[in-house]
Amino acid sequence: MEVSLKIPTFENRKVFVDISFADIVPWFIDNRKQDIKRIREFVEVSDFDQIQRMGHRWKGTCASYGFEQLSRTGELLESCSVSQKREEILKLLEQVTEYINKLEIVYTSPGENNNSNEFHI
Amino acid sequence: MSFTPARIVILDDDLDLLKLMETILAPRGFKIVTYSEAKVALENLKNEQIKTDLIISDIQIPDMGGLQFLSAVKEFLPEVPVLMMTAYGTINMVIEALRLGASDFIQKPFVKSDLVGATEKALKTQEISPQNTAAKLHHEIQKSQIICKSSDMQKVMELAQRVAFASANVLITGESGTGKEVIAKIIHNLSPRGSKPLVAINCAAIPEGLLESELFGHAKGSFTGAVQNRRGLFREASGGTLFLDEIGDLSLPLQAKILRVLQEKKVRPVGSNEEHFVDVRIVSATHKNLEQSIRKGEFRGDLFYRLNVIPIHLSPLRLRRDDILPLAQHFLGRMVKKYEMPEKKLTPAAMEALESHEWPGNVRELENAIERAVILSGDLITHDNLFITPQAQVQAPKSTMNIFDQFEPMPLKNLELMYIHYILSKTGGRKDKAAAILQIDRKTLFRKLSEYQKESEQPAQSVAEVTI
């Protein structure tokens, strides 16, 4: 059964993150940057299985940190790798790189209303 | 007195997730041990002498597979609850995990409160013995008066028992009249939420305009007639279960709104800027094939995945014929008691007719047939009292015999009652559909049924005394 995927929107760069994650978020962001580099390498050698695995991880993990657009990106990477859409993957990597570089992270306390406009997957 | 913190072993090949889970759980006083490889985790769990209170494992582990890991753990640590983590789209694996003994699972990506809640709940399940669970299920079966002699229904009950303790959403499918709401009640009552409210709503029965405020509530003055604030059913069910019946009839805009609530666990009443946190388990039901509805663009795939975490299918009565006679006997006993009548029995021919009928309206139709027969029969319920015709005869050429030849003359109102019951049996007990066929409004139908019931309760002129 096919399920239509929602394209991530990278316009809203403000992300609200639980303050108790503040110590590990920089490490998490660095890892995503590393992932992007690795995915580019996987595209070079057409290793779509690895991209699919990495997309699946992003999908399952990033929103738990508060980065829902990255989870959505992971979902899309997973789907594009199944159909081996090289160009789409590269375009998505370009967009997500820019998004990560310009992220504005706002740490919030539990229960604080953040009025986030982000999509939820 | 020394305090030993609960020891939780977490297995996931994603180091980012391990770190996050440790960050969330460790400050709550748990001792966290993480593994990224199943084989190493298994080896250490086998050899170490320290008591483990809970294991949380991803369902997809590259070096072994989460299900294989679960199965192996259960061999030497059967009493330790195992919580499985899964991304959506792995429903079959979830069911298999529950079958293998997983106590619950967490859907990825999760929010902090989901993880903490599931962890605390799983630690509590250690206190519940299987004997207690089985006894509770037995009690629920008795209370709900459900009959499950067929292997199909026994499997359903087994699944209901297993999933009750999980917090996951359940989608119950099956034809009209198969007992979807009964199963929803059993799941709720067996669950840790059993003491909290079970709020049910039939999504097809309420006009779309009203359904939104019914579900999410509204602020005073938000529309004409909104004279006071209304909390809405999501908030009414908070802490408990919301049963969304006929979910397949929900409009696309409302589907989007429900999806948002499931994702964010917050509701915003119509006309209000304020959001309210809700902790609700969703059990939904439909007679429709939602996968087909998705293909037609009538149902959202993403909502389907959220709702259909644990699918339970109820077979139509014609496919579980072992249940027909026990159900009929059960309804017979209940109706005789309801109408305060002496004991009645089914003749062999009546039993044969019941067993061979196709029951398009399923259990509801059977219940109506027995109620009608109890009202209209003498001590023995005959084939004729049932007003059901074997399918082959239904399709046979129409007889030239006048249909009234088979009855003794009777008052018109008795004939009317018989016909109303006949139509109700055709609609599976759905009074709205019956009213449409009879071309009377529902209120008139209810009034007639109520009048006849009152008359049947008067001993001198009981309708039940009329033998036809």
Coordinates of all heavy atoms in Angstrom, one line a residue, chain B residues 412-455:
Chain B
L412 N -54.0 -6.5 13.5 CA -53.1 -5.8 12.6 C -51.7 -5.4 13.3 O -50.7 -5.4 12.7 CB -53.8 -4.5 12.1 CG -53.1 -3.8 11.0 CD1 -52.8 -4.7 9.8 CD2 -53.9 -2.6 10.5
K413 N -51.9 -4.9 14.6 CA -50.7 -4.5 15.2 C -49.6 -5.6 15.4 O -48.4 -5.4 15.4 CB -51.0 -3.8 16.6 CG -51.6 -4.7 17.6 CD -51.9 -4.0 18.9 CE -52.5 -4.9 19.9 NZ -53.0 -4.2 21.1
N414 N -50.1 -6.8 15.6 CA -49.2 -8.0 15.7 C -48.4 -8.2 14.4 O -47.2 -8.4 14.3 CB -49.9 -9.3 16.0 CG -50.4 -9.2 17.5 OD1 -50.3 -8.2 18.1 ND2 -50.9 -10.4 18.0
L415 N -49.2 -8.0 13.3 CA -48.6 -8.2 12.0 C -47.6 -7.1 11.7 O -46.5 -7.3 11.2 CB -49.7 -8.1 10.9 CG -49.3 -8.5 9.5 CD1 -48.9 -9.9 9.4 CD2 -50.4 -8.2 8.5
E416 N -47.9 -5.9 12.2 CA -47.0 -4.8 12.0 C -45.7 -5.0 12.8 O -44.6 -4.8 12.3 CB -47.7 -3.5 12.5 CG -46.8 -2.3 12.2 CD -47.5 -1.0 12.7 OE1 -47.8 -0.9 13.9 OE2 -47.6 0.0 12.0
L417 N -45.9 -5.5 14.0 CA -44.7 -5.8 14.8 C -43.8 -6.8 14.2 O -42.6 -6.7 14.1 CB -45.1 -6.2 16.2 CG -44.0 -6.6 17.2 CD1 -43.1 -5.4 17.4 CD2 -44.5 -7.2 18.5
M418 N -44.5 -7.9 13.7 CA -43.7 -9.0 13.0 C -42.9 -8.4 11.8 O -41.8 -8.7 11.6 CB -44.7 -10.0 12.4 CG -45.1 -11.1 13.4 SD -46.5 -12.0 12.8 CE -45.9 -12.6 11.3
Y419 N -43.6 -7.5 11.1 CA -42.9 -7.0 9.9 C -41.8 -6.0 10.3 O -40.7 -6.1 9.7 CB -43.9 -6.2 9.0 CG -43.3 -5.8 7.7 CD1 -42.8 -6.8 6.8 CD2 -43.2 -4.5 7.3 CE1 -42.3 -6.4 5.6 CE2 -42.6 -4.1 6.1 CZ -42.1 -5.0 5.3 OH -41.5 -4.7 4.1
I420 N -42.0 -5.3 11.3 CA -40.9 -4.4 11.8 C -39.7 -5.2 12.2 O -38.6 -5.0 11.9 CB -41.4 -3.5 13.0 CG1 -42.4 -2.4 12.5 CG2 -40.2 -2.9 13.7 CD1 -43.0 -1.6 13.6
H421 N -40.0 -6.3 12.9 CA -38.8 -7.2 13.4 C -38.2 -7.8 12.2 O -37.0 -8.0 12.1 CB -39.3 -8.2 14.4 CG -39.4 -7.7 15.8 ND1 -38.3 -7.3 16.4 CD2 -40.4 -7.5 16.6 CE1 -38.6 -6.8 17.6 NE2 -39.9 -7.0 17.8
Y422 N -39.0 -8.2 11.2 CA -38.4 -8.8 10.0 C -37.5 -7.8 9.3 O -36.3 -8.2 8.9 CB -39.6 -9.2 9.0 CG -39.1 -9.6 7.7 CD1 -38.5 -10.9 7.5 CD2 -39.3 -8.8 6.6 CE1 -38.1 -11.3 6.2 CE2 -38.9 -9.2 5.3 CZ -38.3 -10.4 5.1 OH -37.8 -10.8 3.9
I423 N -37.9 -6.6 9.2 CA -37.1 -5.6 8.5 C -35.8 -5.3 9.4 O -34.7 -5.2 8.8 CB -37.8 -4.3 8.3 CG1 -39.0 -4.5 7.3 CG2 -36.9 -3.1 7.8 CD1 -38.5 -4.9 5.9
L424 N -36.0 -5.3 10.7 CA -34.8 -5.1 11.6 C -33.8 -6.2 11.4 O -32.6 -6.0 11.4 CB -35.3 -5.0 13.0 CG -35.8 -3.6 13.5 CD1 -36.5 -3.7 14.9 CD2 -34.7 -2.6 13.6
S425 N -34.3 -7.4 11.2 CA -33.4 -8.5 11.0 C -32.7 -8.4 9.7 O -31.5 -8.7 9.6 CB -34.1 -9.9 11.0 OG -34.8 -10.1 9.8
K426 N -33.3 -7.8 8.7 CA -32.7 -7.6 7.4 C -31.6 -6.5 7.5 O -30.7 -6.5 6.7 CB -33.7 -7.1 6.3 CG -34.7 -8.3 5.9 CD -33.9 -9.3 5.1 CE -34.7 -10.5 4.9 NZ -33.9 -11.7 4.5
T427 N -31.8 -5.5 8.4 CA -30.9 -4.4 8.5 C -29.8 -4.7 9.6 O -29.1 -3.8 10.0 CB -31.6 -3.1 8.8 OG1 -32.2 -3.2 10.0 CG2 -32.6 -2.7 7.7
G428 N -29.8 -5.9 10.1 CA -28.9 -6.2 11.2 C -29.2 -5.4 12.4 O -28.3 -5.1 13.2
G429 N -30.4 -5.0 12.7 CA -30.8 -4.3 13.9 C -30.6 -2.8 13.8 O -30.9 -2.1 14.8
R430 N -30.2 -2.4 12.6 CA -29.9 -0.9 12.5 C -31.3 -0.2 12.3 O -32.0 -0.4 11.3 CB -29.1 -0.6 11.2 CG -27.6 -1.1 11.4 CD -26.8 -0.2 12.2 NE -26.7 1.1 11.5 CZ -25.7 1.4 10.7 NH1 -24.7 0.5 10.5 NH2 -25.6 2.6 10.2
K431 N -31.7 0.5 13.3 CA -33.0 1.1 13.3 C -33.1 2.2 12.3 O -34.2 2.5 11.7 CB -33.4 1.6 14.7 CG -33.5 0.4 15.7 CD -34.1 0.9 17.0 CE -34.3 -0.3 18.0 NZ -33.1 -0.9 18.5
D432 N -32.0 3.0 12.1 CA -32.1 4.0 11.1 C -32.4 3.5 9.7 O -33.2 4.0 8.9 CB -30.8 4.9 11.1 CG -29.6 4.0 11.0 OD1 -29.6 2.8 11.2 OD2 -28.5 4.6 10.8
K433 N -31.7 2.4 9.4 CA -31.9 1.8 8.0 C -33.3 1.2 7.9 O -34.0 1.3 6.9 CB -30.9 0.7 7.8 CG -29.5 1.2 7.4 CD -28.6 0.1 7.0 CE -27.2 0.6 6.7 NZ -26.3 -0.5 6.5
A434 N -33.8 0.6 9.1 CA -35.1 0.0 9.1 C -36.2 1.0 8.9 O -37.1 0.9 8.1 CB -35.3 -0.8 10.4
A435 N -36.0 2.2 9.5 CA -36.9 3.3 9.4 C -37.0 3.8 8.0 O -38.1 4.1 7.4 CB -36.6 4.4 10.4
A436 N -35.8 3.8 7.3 CA -35.8 4.2 5.9 C -36.6 3.3 5.0 O -37.3 3.7 4.1 CB -34.3 4.4 5.5
I437 N -36.4 2.0 5.3 CA -37.1 1.0 4.4 C -38.6 1.1 4.7 O -39.4 1.0 3.7 CB -36.6 -0.4 4.7 CG1 -35.1 -0.6 4.3 CG2 -37.4 -1.5 4.0 CD1 -34.4 -1.8 4.7
L438 N -38.9 1.2 5.9 CA -40.4 1.3 6.3 C -41.0 2.6 5.9 O -42.2 2.8 6.1 CB -40.5 1.0 7.8 CG -40.1 -0.4 8.3 CD1 -40.0 -0.4 9.8 CD2 -41.2 -1.4 7.8
Q439 N -40.1 3.6 5.6 CA -40.6 4.9 5.2 C -41.4 5.6 6.4 O -42.4 6.2 6.2 CB -41.4 4.9 3.9 CG -40.5 4.5 2.8 CD -41.2 4.8 1.4 OE1 -42.3 5.3 1.3 NE2 -40.5 4.3 0.4
I440 N -40.8 5.4 7.6 CA -41.3 6.1 8.7 C -40.1 6.7 9.4 O -39.0 6.3 9.1 CB -42.1 5.2 9.8 CG1 -41.2 4.0 10.2 CG2 -43.4 4.7 9.2 CD1 -41.8 3.1 11.3
D441 N -40.3 7.8 10.2 CA -39.1 8.3 10.8 C -38.7 7.5 12.0 O -39.5 6.7 12.5 CB -39.1 9.8 11.1 CG -40.2 10.2 12.1 OD1 -40.3 9.4 13.1 OD2 -40.8 11.2 12.0
R442 N -37.4 7.7 12.5 CA -36.9 6.8 13.5 C -37.7 6.9 14.8 O -37.9 5.9 15.5 CB -35.4 7.2 13.8 CG -34.5 6.7 12.7 CD -33.0 7.1 13.0 NE -32.4 6.2 14.0 CZ -31.8 6.7 15.1 NH1 -31.6 8.0 15.3 NH2 -31.2 5.9 15.9
K443 N -38.2 8.1 15.1 CA -38.9 8.3 16.3 C -40.2 7.5 16.3 O -40.5 6.8 17.3 CB -39.3 9.8 16.5 CG -38.2 10.7 17.0 CD -38.7 12.1 17.2 CE -37.5 13.0 17.6 NZ -37.9 14.4 17.5
T444 N -40.8 7.4 15.1 CA -42.0 6.6 15.0 C -41.7 5.1 15.3 O -42.4 4.4 16.0 CB -42.7 6.8 13.6 OG1 -42.8 8.2 13.4 CG2 -44.0 6.1 13.5
L445 N -40.6 4.7 14.7 CA -40.2 3.3 14.9 C -39.9 3.0 16.3 O -40.4 2.0 16.9 CB -38.9 3.1 14.0 CG -38.3 1.6 14.1 CD1 -39.3 0.6 13.6 CD2 -37.0 1.5 13.3
F446 N -39.2 3.9 17.0 CA -38.9 3.7 18.4 C -40.2 3.7 19.2 O -40.4 2.8 20.1 CB -38.0 4.8 19.0 CG -36.5 4.6 18.7 CD1 -35.9 5.4 17.8 CD2 -35.8 3.6 19.4 CE1 -34.5 5.2 17.5 CE2 -34.5 3.4 19.1 CZ -33.8 4.2 18.2
R447 N -41.1 4.6 18.9 CA -42.4 4.6 19.6 C -43.2 3.3 19.4 O -43.7 2.8 20.4 CB -43.2 5.8 19.1 CG -44.5 6.0 19.8 CD -45.3 7.3 19.4 NE -45.4 7.4 17.9 CZ -46.3 6.7 17.2 NH1 -47.0 5.8 17.8 NH2 -46.3 6.9 15.9
K448 N -43.2 2.8 18.2 CA -44.0 1.6 18.0 C -43.4 0.5 18.8 O -44.1 -0.3 19.4 CB -44.0 1.3 16.5 CG -45.0 2.1 15.7 CD -44.9 1.8 14.2 CE -45.8 2.7 13.4 NZ -47.2 2.4 13.6
L449 N -42.0 0.3 18.7 CA -41.4 -0.8 19.4 C -41.6 -0.6 20.9 O -41.9 -1.6 21.6 CB -39.9 -0.8 19.1 CG -39.5 -1.2 17.7 CD1 -38.0 -0.9 17.4 CD2 -39.8 -2.7 17.5
S450 N -41.5 0.6 21.4 CA -41.7 0.8 22.8 C -43.2 0.5 23.2 O -43.4 -0.2 24.3 CB -41.3 2.3 23.1 OG -41.9 2.7 24.3
E451 N -44.1 0.9 22.4 CA -45.5 0.6 22.7 C -45.8 -0.9 22.8 O -46.4 -1.4 23.7 CB -46.4 1.2 21.6 CG -46.7 2.7 21.9 CD -47.4 3.4 20.7 OE1 -47.9 2.6 19.8 OE2 -47.5 4.6 20.7
Y452 N -45.2 -1.6 21.8 CA -45.5 -3.0 21.7 C -44.8 -3.7 22.9 O -45.3 -4.7 23.5 CB -44.9 -3.6 20.4 CG -45.8 -3.2 19.2 CD1 -45.2 -2.8 18.0 CD2 -47.2 -3.2 19.3 CE1 -45.9 -2.4 17.0 CE2 -47.9 -2.8 18.2 CZ -47.3 -2.4 17.0 OH -48.1 -2.0 16.0
Q453 N -43.6 -3.2 23.3 CA -42.9 -3.8 24.4 C -43.7 -3.6 25.7 O -43.9 -4.6 26.4 CB -41.5 -3.2 24.5 CG -40.7 -3.9 25.5 CD -39.3 -3.4 25.6 OE1 -38.7 -2.9 24.6 NE2 -38.7 -3.4 26.8
K454 N -44.3 -2.4 25.8 CA -45.1 -2.1 27.0 C -46.3 -3.1 27.1 O -46.6 -3.7 28.1 CB -45.6 -0.7 27.0 CG -44.6 0.3 27.6 CD -45.1 1.7 27.6 CE -44.0 2.7 27.8 NZ -44.4 4.0 27.3
E455 N -46.9 -3.2 25.9 CA -48.1 -4.1 25.8 C -47.7 -5.6 26.2 O -48.4 -6.3 26.8 CB -48.7 -4.1 24.4 CG -49.5 -2.8 24.2 CD -50.2 -2.8 22.9 OE1 -50.4 -3.8 22.3 OE2 -50.4 -1.7 22.4

